[in-house]
Every structure is written in C-alpha cells, then in structure tokens.
Amino acid sequence: MTFFALLTKELRLRLRRERTIWIIIVYIFLMSLLGWFFISRSGSYNNGYGNGISQVGKQLYYLLSVVQLFLILFITPAFTATSINGEKERQTFDLLLCSRLSSFSLISGKLVAGLVNAFLLIAASIPLFSLVFFFGGVAPYQVLLGLLIYIVTAIMVGTFGLLCSTFLARPAVSTALTYLAIIIWIITPVVVSYILAIAQRYQGQQNSQGLFYAWNPVAALISTYPDGTGITVVIGSKTLAVWLTYLLISVVATVVFFVVSIAVVRPNSPIRFSRQQNRPPTAIPTKTSIIA
C-alpha cells in the first residue's frame, strides 16, 4: 500500500458516511441561522446609509468569524483524534504496518484525510461570509487573514489530535484529552493575563500582557478585525501583530506534533524502544525448571 492508496481509502470511507454530509448541512444551517437572526435584529441600522450599514457588516462578520473559529476548534479533533488508535481497536493497524507504508506516509495520509472534512466546512462557509461585503466595513484582505487563521488552526489542532491518537490506546481517552488541551489552551492566557493585570493595577504599573496572547487563536482573529483591540507582541525592539506571531508559533507547533507522531507511531520506534529497555527483564525458563 502506498500513500495515495491509503489516502484514497480514507477519503472514500469518510466521505461516503452520512455523518459527513449531515455535519456540513448542520454547520451551514447554524451559521446561516445566526446571520439571519442578527440581521433581523439589526434592522434599526438600516434607517440610514454609510456608517450604519457598514457597522452592521462589521458586527455580522465578528459574530460569524468567532463562531466559525470555535466550531473549527471543536469539530476538527473529531476527525483525527481516533485515526491511529481507532485502527488498533478495529485490529487493522497490523495490516498497515505490514504494508509498504512508511511512518511519514501513514501519519500524513491519516492527517490529510482527517483535515479534508475540516477544509470542507471552511470552504462551505465562504459564500456565507461573502454576504458581509454587501454591507461593507470589512476589507477583503482582513477576511483572507481570518481564513488563513482558520486553516492553520485546523491543521495544528488536527495534528495534535493525531498525536494523542498515537500515544493513547483508547479513542475516547485521546478525544477527551484533545478537547481538554484545547480548552486549557484558550482559557489559560486569559486567566493569567487577568490575574497579572490586577496585580499590576495595585502596583501602579502599566498593563502589558500582550505576550500571553501571542498563541491564542481568539486574540489572533480579533487582531485582524477593522476595530481590533490593538494587542501587540513586543519582542526586543520589534512590535509584531498577534496574528503574525500566532501563525509562526502554530507552524512550529504543527511541525513538532507531526515529527513526534512519526517517531512513536510504530511499535519499534526509538521512543518506545527506550521505554521497553527500562522494564526489568523477564525470566527465561531453563531446561531444569521445565523438567521439574
């Protein structure tokens, strides 16, 4: 079996399921329903032109973009967090090991097949985001930056879910651990920054907690908005936008997760072999013990 054979098999199995079609339908329906409710409740802005209509376009984009980001964060792991240990649970993983697949082809094939569903969700929502341009207030390059954040986030979260699938034996445990890590990843910078801001306020210092949001997807998305919060990351004498630092750190994290997954996917990998060496040697039965 080659990489393309594995990818073709995975795509056929995933895209033929009714669950995939229903996920896309429900996803677009919820996004459209949110947009329709928001536009219907914002009818007071339609009394005038110019700034009123553009403000509706901005708020509609803010709502849809944040909702889509959280949906990507919590839907993508469902496609990759059970890729490897799911094969072990179905007792088909040994067949993949006996084929001509390398560790790189095995991990990359599972990752690409899992990310296709997430990319389908992103692509299906593009026509919905195009409605924002009818109202104005949001530039096309800002929408493209948000789209880039979605793609990088989906790849990184999917790679981390695949890493958990290679380490843990049970699919339910790997899925739960992936979701728990995502929640901690999002909440921790906010909590730490809030605590330090209170401490600095009592000490009379200036609040400069932008560094804690350097790897936060919500802060990175907000930094691409027309009315962004202005949070920046200061590295030495350079000031970088949060979305740029987020993309750089996410690419590095994705490479690390991918390399570690390749290293531990096979039973005879160096990491697993070093673990087996630390175990006490088992007693080998001798001829006298067998006769006795």
Side-chain angles (χ1 to χ4, degrees), residues 127-284:
L128 185 61
F129 277 91
S130 64
L131 296 176
V132 178
F133 297 114
F134 287 100
F135 297 95
V138 181
Y141 79 92
Q142 294 169 341
V143 178
L144 292 178
L145 285 179
L147 181 63
L148 182 60
I149 291 175
Y150 296 149
I151 294 174
V152 173
T153 302
I155 295 174
M156 186 189 63
V157 173
T159 308
F160 179 75
L162 189 62
L163 176 63
C164 294
S165 179
T166 58
F167 269 105
L168 301 174
R170 296 183 179 181
V173 178
S174 61
T175 304
L177 180 62
T178 304
Y179 284 127
L180 180 62
I182 291 174
I183 294 173
I184 295 174
W185 174 46
I186 296 174
I187 295 178
T188 300
V190 180
V191 175
V192 174
S193 178
Y194 180 75
I195 294 174
L196 293 180
I198 294 177
Q200 290 180 352
R201 187 181 304 172
Y202 280 112
Q203 295 177 0
Q205 298 178 1
Q206 185 179 2
N207 185 14
S208 58
Q209 306 301 330
L211 185 61
F212 293 99
Y213 296 97
W215 197 31
N216 188 276
V218 180
L221 183 63
I222 292 176
S223 65
T224 63
Y225 288 168
D227 301 328
T229 57
I231 301 176
T232 57
V233 178
V234 179
I235 302 176
S237 60
K238 296 183 179 180
T239 302
L240 301 177
V242 175
W243 65 266
L244 181 58
T245 58
Y246 173 78
L247 294 179
L248 294 176
I249 298 175
S250 298
V251 170
V252 174
T254 302
V255 174
V256 172
F257 296 154
F258 186 78
V259 171
V260 176
S261 300
I262 293 175
V264 301
V265 66
R266 291 184 177 272
N268 58 348
S269 62
I271 298 178
R272 295 184 184 276
F273 181 71
S274 62
R275 291 177 180 176
Q276 293 178 357
Q277 281 184 337
N278 296 329
R279 296 178 180 177
T282 56
I284 301 176

Side-chain angles (χ1 to χ4, degrees), residues 21-22 34 60 91 178-180 220 241 271 275 279 287-288:
I21 304 300
W22 281 109
L34 282 174
L60 177 62
Q91 298 181 356
T178 304
Y179 284 127
L180 180 62
I271 298 178
R275 291 177 180 176
R279 296 178 180 177
K287 184 182 294 185
T288 56

